[in-house]
Amino acid sequence: MTESSPQAHNLDPWLDAYAARAETLAVSEVRALFSVVSRPEVVSLAGGMPYVAALPKETLAKAYADTMAKRGLLAIQYGGGQGDLTLRDQIRELMALEGIHSSVEDLVVTTGSQHGLDMLAGLFLDKGDVVLAEGPSYVGAIGIFRHYEAHIEHVHTDHDGMSPEALQESIDRMKADGRTIKFLYLVPNFANPSGVTLSAERRPKILEICKREHILIIEDNPYGLLYFDKPSPAAVRSMDEDGVVYLGSFSKILAPGFRVGYVLAPPAIRDKMVLAQESALLCPSSFTQMMISEFLANADWKGQIDTFRGVYRERRDAALNAMHEYLPNLETTRPDGGFYLWITLPEGIDSKAMLPLAVKELVAYTPGTAFFGDGSGQRYLRVCYSFPTPDRINLGIKRLANVINLQTELLDTFQQKGK
Amino acid sequence: MTESSPQAHNLDPWLDAYAARAETLAVSEVRALFSVVSRPEVVSLAGGMPYVAALPKETLAKAYADTMAKRGLLAIQYGGGQGDLTLRDQIRELMALEGIHSSVEDLVVTTGSQHGLDMLAGLFLDKGDVVLAEGPSYVGAIGIFRHYEAHIEHVHTDHDGMSPEALQESIDRMKADGRTIKFLYLVPNFANPSGVTLSAERRPKILEICKREHILIIEDNPYGLLYFDKPSPAAVRSMDEDGVVYLGSFSKILAPGFRVGYVLAPPAIRDKMVLAQESALLCPSSFTQMMISEFLANADWKGQIDTFRGVYRERRDAALNAMHEYLPNLETTRPDGGFYLWITLPEGIDSKAMLPLAVKELVAYTPGTAFFGDGSGQRYLRVCYSFPTPDRINLGIKRLANVINLQTELLDTFQQKGK
């Protein structure tokens, strides 16, 4: 049992009363880092925060004024469990940018796409069920799947995303073991944490395998519109309606503080999502939904996304240039969008064990182990370049290089002595 | 299996894939009513909507402006999983009005208190566990407990709230049956749907029984500050820290569209709540939390609550006067605060069967069966007087009287023929 506080554990008078699923709650390695890295002298390449300062306050002020003028009483009232109809219609336009066509009936607005994923996991996962996912995969998704007592099976993923051959192998192995696979969880564009994109060639292959094997795909796409040079390949959902549940979010293309995301699902699943949402929180916030609706109606939201693209492209460049300058021998992914680099350390260096040393050198990152459900990933680390300025990114990676180089030297000395 | 749409059920290609808990999702009788009663000619005494028009727009505009001026970048960013520290400190002041003393460490801000209850249920309820609750109890809580596959045991409740003797009897019976009781769910003030308040005399008795029997109390108090004449009795949480989890909400004293509630819990439970919240939705909305924080810091929020009290007192009076005028022979509760009357129909009349006739007469209410986990409650109905104006309340109850009187006449005729 993982406890955030052993003291509290010992004194807890209700220790005998918890449900089995309470034992699955663990402190996320990413979230636990936040307290350490909030000191201003630390360059944080850890948490995945968007650079919301690139969003003009005037734009939001207008969205607020318009919301209250047009729908003020509705905005502060309870709303429907499926989410605001006007916003759902606007989300259709947004999704059309990635080739997805849908109806407002099949959309559910959620309190961030995280809660959409939580509800989907609740709908599908019984204890011991298998979820297939990229390796590495999103830490927040791993936490959810673990909470529902699922087994997370990571499928080999390279610079073109998940390998279809490896997917088939994983499925065959799981089936041979008599296990029940409930869905494939996929972050196809500029994935968190790897930064890689599932290639256009592989997408229909992944879909075909899942169709043949009767495995639902959950396509989680918060970063797709934040491409740097050319649009990301067509969404898997654009190729199939019945077999894909699609998750989207305003957290990265607008701001996460509103907690608004959405789920596009086949009708029967969507019906259950609405009921799950009504049970869990009655309805998503009318107020934040309508603010976003007014933003989409009146602001140059496509221009705003272009602004974010420019900011993150510059920071990706700063990160890759710093890697080239200070750590030229390390393997890193080269993202075409999004927030993340995925760095492979020299053999023998454990990114989790190294983290305290890095924080001492005033730089923070997320250890690779956070992104695997099976405790592996020690040789990797995630660098998030979305929030610090390019200068700070450079400084952070310079500090990181000092720590890694010192570790490498120590390792070499140790290994030579061992000879 | 309860389905919202039998058609979708038959066509659902994923019917074999759902988790066991997905079968527990049912359309709430209250929520399902919303579509029927949204026609303006229908007087809705059904949904429990607060009268948010009593909240001045200028007050909110100032809270928005202050939020963006002081903490604009934080308000639109991800926040901590426990909720905003400033807001938590202000919630302490709010709770002190009901005799509760606490520390910011023990508070968790949630996406409405509904989500707090959902997370608590997730922490404690395994399939088949028993939840003790008033009879009748809050429909949204019943939905949650059912979703976690718990057994809801209603304890006899009269005009002074839950009976301590009946509570002890229920506990003894459950224990004799070898069942595991996980907690007592209590809405002590102006309860939804009954409108009754647990008397000051009974509170320590209920607490004492639960302490002795090692049963956690979940005290849900969204209406406590909306008393009409004198403050409600001291909260159960004010008498005990370790054995009570307390739920509060801004939905009724400010506005539900922000979806902000809170949970005050003993440390070990609070730790788990934070982890559950991080898993389910990363963090509550920074934006709506900070808006409320600025409202509490700068607006006359106590005066605002007084305004709401006045509005609801007038409407309670309108409802009771109309009952006296049109349905003098029916038993009704006489709430000292909150939103609801609980009406007992003449024997032989089923409130659920009568509802379509009422809607035909252009009045809507909520049938009593919504508020019992065991399908009982046919003889009762809930009238919510919070939203319609006093004139409309009078008209609604007049129409309701026509329907009930017609039913009574039919019943009498039928019974006389039967003799």
Side-chain angles (χ1 to χ4, degrees), chain B residues 185-263:
Chain B
Y185 173 73
L186 205 58
V187 185
N189 298 316
F190 328 126
N192 179 0
S194 70
V196 306
T197 294
L198 182 62
S199 69
E201 293 69 33
R202 285 183 176 181
R203 293 183 186 219
K205 290 180 188 168
I206 297 276
L207 177 62
E208 193 195 327
I209 293 170
C210 287
K211 295 292 275 187
R212 190 176 58 235
E213 299 281 358
H214 187 58
I215 294 170
L216 184 69
I217 296 176
I218 296 183
E219 181 177 26
D220 189 359
N221 187 23
Y223 306 102
L225 291 174
L226 296 177
Y227 55 84
F228 298 146
D229 300 305
K230 59 178 203 306
S232 33
V236 182
R237 172 57 177 73
S238 72
M239 307 167 198
D240 187 78
E241 290 190 8
D242 295 334
V244 182
V245 176
Y246 180 89
L247 297 176
S249 174
F250 287 98
S251 291
K252 274 74 182 188
I253 59 167
L254 180 60
F258 296 110
R259 308 309 300 118
V260 177
Y262 49 91
V263 178

Side-chain angles (χ1 to χ4, degrees), chain A residues 198-216:
Chain A
L198 182 63
S199 69
E201 293 71 32
R202 284 184 176 180
R203 292 183 186 219
K205 290 180 187 166
I206 297 277
L207 177 63
E208 193 195 326
I209 292 170
C210 288
K211 294 293 273 186
R212 191 175 58 234
E213 300 281 357
H214 188 57
I215 295 170
L216 185 68

Side-chain angles (χ1 to χ4, degrees), chain A residues 216-237:
Chain A
L216 185 68
I217 296 176
I218 296 184
E219 181 177 27
D220 188 1
N221 187 23
Y223 306 103
L225 291 174
L226 296 177
Y227 56 84
F228 297 147
D229 301 305
K230 59 179 203 304
S232 33
V236 181
R237 171 57 177 75

Side-chain angles (χ1 to χ4, degrees), chain B residues 329-398:
Chain B
N329 296 323
L330 286 201
E331 194 189 329
T332 175
T333 54
R334 309 185 73 82
D336 297 318
F339 288 11
Y340 310 103
L341 297 191
W342 182 247
I343 295 169
T344 309
L345 293 175
E347 207 167 337
I349 299 186
D350 180 326
S351 67
K352 198 169 167 182
M354 190 178 73
L355 184 57
L357 306 169
V359 172
K360 212 177 148 214
E361 288 292 315
L362 305 180
V363 61
Y365 58 81
T366 311
T369 44
F371 307 100
F372 288 90
D374 55 10
S376 67
Q378 289 88 344
R379 263 192 77 184
Y380 305 93
L381 63 83
R382 187 189 75 175
V383 157
C384 177
Y385 52 77
S386 58
F387 195 74
T389 58
D391 282 356
R392 297 274 289 173
I393 292 168
N394 187 283
L395 178 63
I397 290 179
K398 187 177 175 184

Side-chain angles (χ1 to χ4, degrees), chain A residues 8-199:
Chain A
H9 186 144
N10 292 335
L11 295 170
D12 183 4
W14 302 107
L15 196 56
D16 57 331
Y18 296 111
R21 77 178 71 76
E23 300 194 11
T24 63
L25 291 167
V27 178
S28 141
E29 304 190 48
V30 179
R31 305 291 292 178
L33 269 173
F34 275 15
S35 57
V36 176
V37 302
S38 61
R39 285 150 47 202
E41 65 270 26
V42 176
V43 175
S44 175
L45 305 170
M49 292 195 296
Y51 187 65
V52 292
L55 182 67
K57 280 189 183 180
E58 300 70 38
T59 312
L60 291 180
K62 179 162 166 50
Y64 176 81
D66 290 344
T67 299
M68 295 310 288
K70 293 181 200 167
R71 297 204 279 170
L73 290 183
L74 290 174
I76 59 175
Q77 190 54 274
Y78 289 110
Q82 191 167 356
D84 182 55
L85 187 62
T86 309
L87 178 60
R88 281 189 276 137
D89 199 39
Q90 293 166 310
I91 290 170
R92 289 177 58 240
E93 283 181 60
L94 188 69
M95 291 193 303
L97 294 183
E98 300 194 74
I100 296 170
H101 299 284
S102 65
S103 75
V104 289
E105 283 78 23
D106 295 336
L107 271 165
V108 183
V109 183
T110 59
T111 303
S113 61
Q114 181 81 10
H115 196 232
L117 187 59
D118 181 63
M119 289 189 286
L120 282 166
L123 283 183
F124 285 101
L125 298 178
D126 285 314
K127 184 177 179 173
D129 283 347
V130 173
V131 173
L132 300 166
E134 288 129 334
S137 184
Y138 167 49
V139 59
I142 292 172
I144 287 173
F145 303 150
R146 220 183 240 150
H147 186 46
Y148 288 97
E149 303 177 86
H151 169 76
I152 302 153
E153 181 70 15
H154 292 288
V155 177
H156 179 70
T157 302
D158 60 27
H159 288 266
D160 287 324
M162 181 178 280
S163 151
E165 294 73 28
L167 173 62
Q168 186 66 59
E169 279 166 31
S170 290
I171 294 170
D172 293 344
R173 196 172 59 255
M174 290 295 109
K175 285 169 83 173
D177 288 354
R179 307 201 68 153
T180 304
I181 302 170
K182 282 297 175 72
F183 54 77
L184 166 64
Y185 173 72
L186 205 59
V187 185
N189 298 317
F190 329 125
N192 179 1
S194 70
V196 305
T197 294
L198 182 63
S199 69

Side-chain angles (χ1 to χ4, degrees), chain A residues 221-368:
Chain A
N221 187 23
Y223 306 103
L225 291 174
L226 296 177
Y227 56 84
F228 297 147
D229 301 305
K230 59 179 203 304
S232 33
V236 181
R237 171 57 177 75
S238 73
M239 307 168 198
D240 187 79
E241 290 189 9
D242 295 333
V244 183
V245 177
Y246 180 89
L247 298 176
S249 174
F250 288 98
S251 291
K252 273 75 181 186
I253 60 168
L254 180 59
F258 297 110
R259 309 307 301 118
V260 178
Y262 48 92
V263 178
L264 174 65
I269 298 176
R270 171 261 292 155
D271 279 353
K272 288 182 170 56
M273 290 285 292
V274 174
L275 295 175
Q277 176 141 287
E278 287 174 355
S279 176
L281 38 73
L282 301 180
C283 61
S285 165
S286 308
F287 184 68
T288 58
Q289 287 184 81
M290 291 184 190
M291 285 265 308
I292 290 179
S293 175
E294 288 299 332
F295 170 80
L296 293 173
N298 301 312
D300 177 16
W301 58 271
K302 290 183 187 174
Q304 181 62 47
I305 294 175
D306 281 339
T307 301
F308 281 126
R309 274 186 203 125
V311 167
Y312 298 133
R313 187 195 297 111
E314 188 189 8
R315 290 171 187 204
R316 187 268 322 253
D317 291 344
L320 287 179
N321 290 340
M323 286 300 293
H324 184 71
E325 188 176 352
Y326 306 118
L327 289 163
N329 296 323
L330 287 201
E331 194 190 327
T332 176
T333 54
R334 310 185 72 81
D336 296 319
F339 288 11
Y340 310 104
L341 297 190
W342 183 247
I343 295 169
T344 309
L345 293 175
E347 208 167 334
I349 299 187
D350 179 326
S351 68
K352 199 170 167 181
M354 190 177 74
L355 184 58
L357 306 169
V359 172
K360 214 177 146 214
E361 288 291 316
L362 306 180
V363 61
Y365 58 82
T366 311

